[in-house]
Amino acid sequence: AIGWALHAYGPHFGIWFPPPSARDYGRTALGLLDDGLYADTPQWAAARADAATRIDAATTHDEVDAVLGDAIGVAGGKHSFMMDADEVRSLSDSYIAPTSSLDGCVLTVTVPEFAGTIDQGDEYANTIADALGADGICGVVVDLRDNGGGDMGPMLAGLSPLLPDGTVTSFVIQGRTSDAALEDGTIKGGGTSISVGARDKLDVPVAVLTSGTTASSGEQTLLAFRGLDNARVFGDPTRGYASVNQEYPLYTGRTMVLTTGISQARTGERFSEEPIAPDVEVPSQEAPAAAAEWIASRS
């Protein structure tokens, strides 16, 4: 029974038992793509049939991965991709720490993309939360202009002093809605569950900066501020990758990153593959000045 369960459900979690033939591996992985955002379209039906034919003719697992690479964009859309084993192993090497600076009583926090270990995520989140704990802050600028995505958990946990507890954002997957929720500095249901502990909330104007580079988890972080009375967004429209991805580790060491759902803000608005417009559209390099002017007008 255990062996059957591993065989049937293991591939969803990167467990391939027993070692599959190229054909069996390909057929199983192709079934995972049926969870894709566009899996109910005629385009996917045609692409799936073609992929199945090519998989049956494949003789190696690497050949199968090439087929999956061609198919994943049809099943999941533009936010879906294959990640090589070397890329998976090197994620922790790409860690970029958040930074902050204080101009008078206005704190600017630069929130970069994040891909790394649990320990790095904890450091990342606490670096942001600690900066927000400075005395005398009268306004905050959250700079997401260079945030191309990654793991949203450390981003939201770090920014928790600026966000009300409760549902931060939601995901709609195959008609079912699940929430990313914040409670006492702990984020659950959105990326890695990270905690910075209970922090005092900051009731100050918050200006969020975006650009055409702001994508994926950067956009999820942006949506966490959507609908808040004290927040306003400045810059360029985002890249348009606010859809929801699921990772499937493959037998070859590669990973399928498949788009399976869309995002829903606390306002009820839904976002997927269209850029998110700012409240005040200005060239992203001019966004800090526009944000500073707005914060000064609120003081």
Side-chain angles (χ1 to χ4, degrees):
I2 293 174
W4 178 86
L6 288 174
H7 174 73
Y9 299 108
H12 286 81
F13 308 99
I15 301 171
W16 297 81
F17 178 84
S21 67
R23 181 183 180 279
D24 288 347
Y25 162 64
R27 289 282 184 159
T28 299
L30 193 59
L32 298 177
L33 293 182
D34 287 333
D35 290 336
L37 184 62
Y38 298 107
D40 60 350
T41 64
Q43 290 82 1
W44 172 238
R48 194 189 198 288
D50 176 69
T53 298
R54 293 172 61 193
I55 285 170
D56 286 346
T59 58
T60 69
H61 297 87
D62 285 339
E63 289 177 7
V64 169
D65 280 359
V67 177
L68 298 174
D70 291 338
I72 191 170
V74 184
K78 69 176 187 178
H79 197 185
S80 301
F81 58 96
M82 294 279 284
M83 189 158 50
D84 288 337
D86 288 343
E87 293 179 276
V88 175
R89 286 191 292 267
S90 67
L91 283 177
S92 61
D93 296 332
S94 62
Y95 173 64
I96 303 171
T99 59
S100 62
S101 61
L102 196 61
D103 183 5
C105 62
V106 177
L107 179 74
T108 296
V109 179
T110 300
V111 181
E113 58 192 50
F114 174 77
T117 64
I118 295 291
D119 287 343
Q120 288 171 332
D122 183 74
E123 176 187 334
Y124 178 108
N126 278 282
T127 296
I128 297 173
D130 289 347
L132 292 170
D135 292 333
I137 294 174
C138 66
V140 176
V141 177
V142 177
D143 192 346
L144 300 175
R145 288 177 296 171
D146 292 326
N147 190 323
D151 187 344
M152 66 187 287
M155 302 175 197
L156 296 180
L159 293 168
S160 60
L162 300 176
L163 299 167
D165 280 6
T167 298
V168 176
T169 188
S170 301
F171 313 117
V172 183
I173 302 172
Q174 296 179 350
R176 297 185 297 273
T177 302
S178 62
D179 298 330
L182 179 67
E183 183 177 1
D184 294 333
T186 302
I187 187 73
K188 294 183 179 180
T192 301
S193 182
I194 293 286
S195 178
V196 298
R199 305 279 184 131
D200 291 337
K201 297 294 185 181
L202 267 177
D203 184 16
V204 297
V206 179
V208 183
L209 311 185
T210 62
S211 74
T213 300
T214 309
S216 192
S217 288
E219 289 169 297
Q220 298 291 354
T221 303
L222 164 64
L223 292 180
F225 291 92
R226 198 166 185 93
L228 299 183
D229 292 338
N230 65 336
R232 201 165 192 188
V233 183
F234 299 82
D236 288 315
T238 64
R239 193 174 175 188
Y241 285 76
S243 47
V244 180
N245 279 356
Q246 173 71 43
E247 293 186 4
Y248 296 100
L250 296 176
Y251 178 70
T252 57
R254 297 184 178 93
T255 297
M256 290 195 307
V257 183
L258 177 68
T259 301
T260 58
I262 62 175
S263 301
Q264 180 174 287
R266 60 167 55 81
T267 58
E269 300 166 283
R270 292 185 173 183
F271 301 87
S272 180
E273 296 188 334
E274 295 298 324
I276 302 172
D279 297 311
V280 179
E281 186 167 345
V282 295
S284 59
Q285 65 271 21
E286 298 176 15
E293 182 178 349
W294 175 74
I295 290 175
S297 73
R298 301 269 299 200
S299 301

